[in-house]
């Protein structure tokens, strides 16, 4: 199948084709984590549409929008290799009218955990994801467990707004030493790359503990030993992202964000108590 590159909404509508369609939204700089999403999408649907769009709405004023990596030619090669039907790569001006007014609110879920550090971030994510759903009209869409709160708010949007789209969560793909793959890892110096390993180590160390307070305490110790002071380190309900009570039994997400050098990294582990 020849890859079609749609550079604006009109081209996308012409190119999207007939279902079943699986959508994989990305901001580009594709790595093995993205490719795992694309492979899952390919396994589930005849046509895969990948969006490559660095969404200005989900970046705060002091965040890294302008230095976010852009590697479109390599991204297109990766999509060709994975059998993608269409790559949708619009300009920001094509996606958003200068006088746009209306967006999606993530509600309370958008204001906690990652949302505390990044006000408006999840509103921006949901607004672009809903636009992509409307433009591509997919049957299903794949998202990474790497961004666990994003996955949770998207599931919530689909439930609350009755969107007829299946949401597929894909496990986090890691480097052999445990570092979660991220487009931002390229900004780490060799020394920071080493320190960044404390994130996945902290999650693994906490994950084997029996109570929420122990899980968090043990993980915090590992981060502290590496000199990392997390933005947050919390054990939450995977669906609501509210902190779980001490007596909690069942699945939980141990979520962490920390700045390593100039780069802010997030990671999480699904654990069972
Ligand atoms: P991004 O380009 O960072 O916006 O990510 C696009 C999609 O890829 C999101 O659904 C992410 O959760 C997912 N993703 C990013 N990194 C990974 C990873 N290491 N493993 C699995 N999925 C990932």
């Amino acid at each position: 199948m020849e890859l079609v590159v749609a550079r604006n909404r009109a081209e996308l509508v012409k190119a999207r084709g007939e279902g079943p369609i699986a959508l994989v939204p990305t901001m580009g700089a594709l790595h093995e984590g993205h490719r795992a999403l694309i492979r899952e999408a390919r396994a589930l649907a005849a046509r895969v549409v990948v969006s490559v769009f660095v969404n200005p709405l989900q970046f705060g004023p002091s965040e890294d929008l302008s230095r976010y990596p852009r590697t479109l030619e390599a991204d297109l090669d990766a999509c060709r290799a994975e059998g993608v039907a269409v790559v949708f790569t619009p300009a920001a001006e094509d996606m958003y009218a200068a006088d746009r007014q209306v967006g999606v609110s993530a509600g309370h879920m958008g204001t906690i955990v990652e949302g505390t550090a990044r006000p408006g971030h999840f509103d921006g994510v949901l607004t672009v994801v809903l636009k992509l759903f409307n433009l591509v009209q997919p049957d299903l869409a794949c998202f990474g467990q790497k961004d666990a709160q994003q996955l949770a708010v998207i599931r919530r949007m689909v439930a609350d707004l009755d969107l007829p789209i299946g949401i597929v969560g894909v496990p986090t793909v890691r480097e052999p030493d445990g570092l979660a793959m991220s487009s931002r890892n390229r900004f780490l110096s060799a020394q920071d790359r080493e320190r960044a390993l404390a994130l996945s180590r902290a999650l693994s160390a906490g994950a084997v503990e029996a109570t929420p307070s122990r899980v968090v305490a043990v993980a915090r110790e590992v981060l502290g030993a590496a000199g990392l002071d997390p933005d947050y380190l919390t054990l939450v309900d995977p669906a609501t992202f509210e902190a779980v009570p001490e007596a909690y039994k069942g699945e939980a997400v141990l979520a962490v964000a920390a700045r390593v050098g100039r780069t802010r990294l997030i990671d999480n582990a699904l654990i069972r108590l």
Side-chain angles (χ1 to χ4, degrees):
M1 193 184 329
E2 182 96 359
L3 177 75
V4 176
V5 181
R7 294 186 183 270
N8 54 51
R9 291 172 299 157
E11 287 180 15
L12 185 265
V13 168
K14 264 193 225 144
R16 70 187 171 208
E18 294 293 310
I21 297 175
L23 170 67
V24 180
T26 82
M27 298 205 297
L30 302 185
H31 51 64
E32 276 302 312
H34 299 111
R35 290 179 76 144
L37 264 59
I38 295 171
R39 279 182 215 128
E40 181 67 20
R42 282 277 286 155
L44 295 171
R47 280 177 81 73
V48 172
V49 177
V50 173
S51 59
V52 173
F53 179 59
V54 183
N55 174 31
L57 253 51
Q58 68 190 71
F59 287 79
S62 62
E63 292 181 2
D64 59 353
L65 173 63
S66 61
R67 71 173 195 136
Y68 198 84
R70 287 164 171 85
T71 63
L72 185 62
E73 285 313 312
D75 294 348
L76 296 178
D77 287 344
C79 287
R80 271 185 207 101
E82 297 293 350
V84 170
V86 180
V87 169
F88 176 43
T89 176
E93 306 73 59
D94 181 60
M95 281 295 266
Y96 298 117
D99 64 347
R100 67 172 206 94
Q101 300 272 334
V102 175
V104 181
S105 165
H108 173 68
M109 274 184 86
T111 66
I112 56 178
V113 193
E114 182 73 359
T116 308
R118 305 185 71 187
H121 169 72
F122 289 112
D123 296 354
V125 168
L126 291 187
T127 299
V128 80
V129 168
L130 183 59
K131 282 172 70 77
L132 291 169
F133 285 177
N134 288 332
L135 289 163
V136 177
Q137 301 185 5
D139 299 273
L140 53 95
C142 297
F143 296 89
Q145 183 65 39
K146 161 79 172 26
D147 299 282
Q149 190 171 1
Q150 171 174 287
L151 179 58
V153 296
I154 288 167
R155 287 194 197 281
R156 191 75 218 184
M157 172 173 76
V158 165
D160 287 354
L161 302 184
D162 301 302
L163 305 182
I165 295 164
I167 301 300
V168 179
V170 178
T172 302
V173 177
R174 297 178 180 281
E175 302 285 357
D177 60 10
L179 182 68
M181 289 196 182
S182 163
S183 307
R184 293 185 170 99
N185 290 350
R186 71 190 64 208
F187 296 129
L188 296 169
S189 66
Q191 201 184 4
D192 287 341
R193 169 78 180 63
E194 193 59 33
R195 285 210 304 153
L197 287 179
L199 266 67
S200 54
R201 288 204 187 117
L203 298 176
S204 306
V208 296
E209 295 293 325
T211 63
S213 55
R214 284 294 300 158
V215 167
V216 171
V218 166
R220 189 174 294 282
E221 228 172 83
V222 175
L223 291 173
L228 295 184
D229 177 23
D231 266 10
Y232 59 81
L233 170 67
T234 182
L235 189 65
V236 299
D237 181 309
T240 63
F241 261 68
E242 296 289 355
V244 299
E246 190 61 10
Y248 184 82
K249 295 284 171 235
E251 265 208 335
V253 172
L254 179 56
V256 64
R259 202 164 277 284
V260 184
R262 285 181 61 203
T263 308
R264 188 172 177 279
L265 299 177
I266 63 169
D267 198 354
N268 72 87
L270 258 183
I271 71 179
R272 177 160 284 281
L273 285 164

